[in-house]
Every structure is written in C-alpha cells, then in structure tokens.
C-alpha cells in the first residue's frame, strides 16, 4: 500500500511538470559550466525522474497504482459476461443445438419408420404378386385339365357313336350282302334259263334250273 | 531517430477518474477494453444466435462452433459432471480471446498484458477448484495429493511434489498468459520500430527495413495465433483443474 501511494504521488508530481525534464535533461548533458544552483535543480529533476521510473513509471504491468481499478473493472465486466453467458447465451445456443439434435433424431426415426413401412408394403406386393401368379397357374392348369377332360369325353362319345354307326352300317351291309347272295340263285337261274333257251331252245323247268344252279354253285364253290 | 518505446503501449491511462475513498478505481483504457470485450463478445454471440434457425447461417454457425468447441474441451477434460462449470469456462475463454484479439489492433490496449488481470482470473479458477473440491469431496479432496500405488517409502516425497505442483498452478496459469502476451507485443513493437528507424537512414535503410517488415508481418500472424491459443490453453487448463476438483482420486 505504501509503495502504491508513493508511486502515485510521484506520478502526480511528474504529470504536474510534464515538459520540464524532457527539455531540461538534454540541456544538462553537454552543458558543464552551469551555476551550482541550476545544476542542483536539474540534478533534482533528474533524480526525481529516475525515482519515478524505478517505482511507478518503469514497467506499467507491475505498476500497482491501477491494481484496484483493474480488479474492480475486471470483476464488473466479468460478472456481467458470466451472467449474460449463463442466463441468455448458453441457454439460447444450447437450445438451438438441442432442437436440432431432437429434430434430426425425430426425422431419422420417421425415416426409419417409413422405410419399414415401405419394406412391408414391398413384401406384401411381392407376396401378392407371387400369389396371383400361383393362382393364375392353378386356374390355367384347372382350365386345361377341364378342357382336356371334356375333349376326351367328347371324343369318346363321338367314337362311340361312330362305332354304333359303323356297326349299323356293317349290319346293313351284311344284310344287303346276304340278300344279294340270296338273290344270286334266282338271277343265275334266270340267266341259265335265258342261256339254255338261246343255246338249246329248250324250256327248262324251274326246278331243274334251280338244281343245276345249286349244283353249279356248290361245284363252283367246291372248285373255287 | 530513436527506437519507439516498446513499453509505452502497456501504460494505463485514466479516461474517467474515479476514487473510492483513497483507492483509485478510475475507468481506464484497460477497463474500456474489458467492457468492449464483453460487449462485442456477447453481442456477437447474441446477434449470431438471434434468429435461432434450424439450418444455421454463417454467423450462427460460427457462434455454434465456438460454443461446441468450448463445450467439447470441457466435456473431454472434466466429464459430463464438469458441464456445470460450462458458463464459467466459456466466459473465461471468450473474455481472454476477445481482449487478446483486441490487443492485436494497433493503438488498442491489451488487458491481459497486465499480470494483475491474469492473476485475478487464475486465482478465480484455483479458488473455485479448492472450494468446490472440499465442498464436494470433503477431506477426500486431499486424495489429490496422494496418488495410488506409490510405495510408502517415497510417498512423502511424491506428496510434496504434488502439493508443490498444485500450489504453482495459479502462478503458472497467470504468468503463462501474461508473459506470452507481453513478450509478443514487445517483440512486435521492437521489430516494427526497426522499420521506422532503418527507413529514416536513406535508401540503404529502405532496403534493410524489408527484413524487419517481413518479420513484423510474420510475427503479427504468430501473435494472432498466440492470442487464440492462449485463450484455449487457459480454458483447457481450467477444465483440467476442475476435473481434479470433481474427481480427486488419480
């Protein structure tokens, strides 16, 4: 404290006569022949200046004159800074950052949920598609089988009816053939009668003709 | 031509003289730049975040990056329990960053070039560590000085070193910041002074002045880096010390 007071005093003194030492000192250096009184006065000023430099003015960072002032204003400004920081700035910027973090987390969450939904929808679509395809195959196979069965049944029916018709036709052919064969004797007898009549001029009786034809047919049959 | 005084830039000047009893509490150039640092720093963060947009613009993005940078520094050093000190660490970081960067502007005063300011900040940190350490752990806070698994013979020696290192923390914390800023500004001033002095020597001086000019440009870049880095170093060391208060067992 004492040092502070002394330094302050000397600084004050120096400020009272600021120009004097600066002007006096260069004059004193070369000027040797001076009166004792003037020399003493100059020496006094120089000594005082030296004293000032040693205590107060030399190195401002260690000058204790303004320690109290610096501490007070540091305390005031730092307390204001701290209060602004803790009450306004940090909550605000922290809030901004938190909001952003929440928003990003929420958006990511939503994106994940939507992705899951779309995955599910995709799976459902693929399943529906494969189901539909299987269904289509099944329907096609069924239709094919049914058509094949119907065609076979129809074919069988037609074949059966054709068989019937064929059988009927064969029966008729057989009948016609039998009838024709039965008629052959009469035709042969008539032909033989005409032949005999023409060649020999005789009228063969029906019984004779019939016997002859019968003989010829059995003989011819025998010969053939 | 004389070299410009490199110390002159650290002088404190009264702007509004104020006295509290016998104590001088004047509003000085130092106080002005403390207040400016708080106003501009908070103003930047408040304006940049005022629109609260979900998709941030450039300004909002830079405010958010600063916030997250400090938050990650604290969280990685002191864990999630340390986040209750986030306002303090962020305030310290922003304050030191702003006054350091203000110091890089020519004719501006650098608040952190005065040891009393950096000492006050580091005593605040260490004081908080001690108070919170005892409040949370009681006497268990002394475990900080007793590492696990040390043989009994050398234990007193290790405890002595641990105590010493703890005691030297406020000193190193304050001197590191103060000395970096002070030395940087003096160096910058000296090299810049060389340019002025050399260029007053005629054409040869003009050519010779190119070297200090290049150095000054390079040093300016370096000092901007140091200004930012020291703010970060202060913040991360605060986080580490707070971690000791929260988890005293090694």
């Amino acid at each position: 404290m004492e040092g502070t007071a002394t330094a302050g005093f000397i600084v004050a003194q120096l400020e009272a006569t600021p120009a004097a030492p600066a002007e006096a000192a260069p004059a004193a250096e070369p000027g040797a022949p001076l009166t004792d009184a003037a020399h003493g006065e100059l020496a006094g000023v120089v000594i005082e200046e030296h004293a000032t430099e040693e205590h107060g003015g030399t190195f401002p960072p260690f000058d204790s004159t303004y320690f109290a002032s610096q501490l007070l204003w540091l305390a005031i400004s730092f307390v204001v800074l701290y209060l602004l920081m803790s009450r306004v700035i940090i909550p605000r910027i922290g809030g901004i950052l938190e909001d952003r973090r929440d928003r990003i987390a929420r958006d990511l969450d939503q994106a994940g949920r939507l992705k899951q939904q779309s995955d599910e929808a995709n799976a459902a679509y693929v399943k529906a598609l494969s189901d539909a395809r299987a269904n289509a195959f099944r329907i096609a196979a069924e239709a094919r089988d049914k058509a094949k069965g119907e065609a076979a049944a129809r074919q069988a029916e037609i074949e059966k009816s054709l068989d019937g018709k064929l059988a009927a036709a064969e029966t008729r052919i057989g009948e016609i053939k039998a009838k024709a064969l039965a008629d052959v004797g009469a035709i042969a007898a008539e032909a033989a009668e005409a032949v005999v009549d023409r060649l020999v001029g005789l009228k063969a009786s029906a019984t004779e003709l019939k016997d002859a034809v019968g003989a010829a047919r059995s003989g011819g049959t025998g010969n053939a | 031509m004389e070299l410009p005084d490199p110390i002159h830039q650290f002088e404190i000047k009264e702007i509004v003289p104020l006295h509290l009893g016998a104590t001088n509490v004047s509003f000085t150039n130092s106080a002005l730049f403390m207040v400016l640092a708080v106003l501009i720093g908070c103003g930047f963060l408040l304006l940049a975040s005022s629109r609260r947009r979900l998709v941030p613009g450039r300004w909002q993005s830079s405010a958010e990056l600063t916030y997250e940078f400090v938050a990650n520094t604290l969280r990685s050093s002191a864990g999630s329990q340390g986040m209750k000190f986030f306002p303090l660490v962020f305030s310290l970081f922003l304050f030191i960053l702003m006054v350091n960067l203000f110091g890089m502007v020519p004719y501006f005063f650098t608040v952190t070039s005065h040891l009393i300011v950096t000492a006050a900040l580091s005593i605040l940190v260490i004081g908080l560590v001690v108070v919170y350490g005892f409040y949370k752990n009681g006497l268990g806070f002394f475990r900080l000085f007793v590492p696990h698994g040390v043989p009994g013979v050398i234990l007193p020696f290790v405890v002595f070193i641990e105590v010493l290192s703890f005691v030297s923390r406020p000193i190193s914390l304050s001197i590191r910041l103060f000395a970096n800023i002070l030395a940087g500004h003096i160096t910058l001033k000296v090299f810049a002074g060389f340019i002025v002095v050399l260029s007053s020597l005629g054409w040869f001086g003009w050519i010779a002045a190119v070297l200090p000019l290049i150095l000054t440009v390079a040093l300016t870049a370096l000092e901007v880096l140091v200004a930012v880095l020291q703010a970060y170093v202060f913040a991360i060391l605060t986080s580490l010390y707070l971690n000791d208060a929260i988890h005293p067992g090694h």
Side-chain angles (χ1 to χ4, degrees), chain A residues 58-61 66 68-74 77-78 81-82 84-85 88 90 92-94 96-97 100 103, chain B residues 7 10 12 14 23-27 31 34 38 42 46 49-50 54 56 60 64 67 87-88 91 114 116:
Chain A
T58 23
F59 199 48
Y66 294 106
S69 152
Q70 280 177 297
L71 288 178
L72 177 73
W73 288 103
L74 174 66
S77 51
F78 196 76
L81 172 63
Y82 182 84
L84 274 174
M85 266 304 176
V88 186
I90 288 176
R92 188 192 278 183
I93 300 182
I96 293 171
L97 294 175
R100 184 175 308 145
R103 175 70 186 272
Chain B
I7 304 299
F10 304 118
I12 288 184
E14 290 183 16
T23 321
N24 184 355
V25 292
S26 304
F27 188 79
M34 290 180 194
V38 172
C42 289
L46 282 172
S49 63
S50 63
L54 191 68
Q60 191 181 326
E64 286 172 10
Y67 176 100
L88 176 76
S91 299
H114 280 244
I116 185 74

Side-chain angles (χ1 to χ4, degrees), chain B residues 14-16 19 33 43 53 57 65-66 100 106 115 175 186 208 221 231:
Chain B
E14 290 183 16
I15 296 172
V16 182
H19 287 270
F33 282 104
R53 282 194 297 196
L65 282 176
T66 318
N100 283 355
L115 184 58
I175 300 242
I186 290 177

Side-chain angles (χ1 to χ4, degrees), chain B residues 5-70:
Chain B
D5 180 13
I7 304 299
H8 177 75
Q9 57 178 324
F10 304 118
E11 271 170 22
I12 288 184
K13 296 180 188 71
E14 290 183 16
I15 296 172
V16 182
L18 288 172
H19 287 270
L20 208 70
T23 321
N24 184 355
V25 292
S26 304
F27 188 79
T28 60
N29 51 352
S30 172
L32 173 69
F33 282 104
M34 290 180 194
V35 172
L36 275 181
V38 172
L39 286 182
I40 305 287
C42 289
F44 158 66
L45 288 180
L46 282 172
L47 284 177
S49 63
S50 63
R51 290 207 212 158
R52 300 162 185 265
R53 282 194 297 196
L54 191 68
V55 179
R58 263 177 256 174
W59 285 96
Q60 191 181 326
S61 199
S62 57
E64 286 172 10
L65 282 176
T66 318
Y67 176 100
E68 294 208 304
F69 174 69
V70 181

Side-chain angles (χ1 to χ4, degrees), chain A residues 63-123:
Chain A
D63 177 8
S64 56
T65 316
Y66 294 106
F67 277 7
S69 152
Q70 280 177 297
L71 288 178
L72 177 73
W73 288 103
L74 174 66
I76 291 171
S77 51
F78 196 76
V79 164
V80 169
L81 172 63
Y82 182 84
L83 289 178
L84 274 174
M85 266 304 176
S86 57
R87 298 280 156 83
V88 186
I89 295 172
I90 288 176
R92 188 192 278 183
I93 300 182
I96 293 171
L97 294 175
E98 191 130 328
D99 282 355
R100 184 175 308 145
R101 211 157 22 231
D102 287 356
R103 175 70 186 272
I104 289 171
R106 208 164 58 232
D107 285 2
L108 275 179
D109 204 42
Q110 198 179 357
R113 213 164 49 241
L114 289 176
K115 185 179 180 299
Q116 201 190 339
Q117 277 178 12
S118 75
D119 281 353
E120 277 168 11
N122 188 36

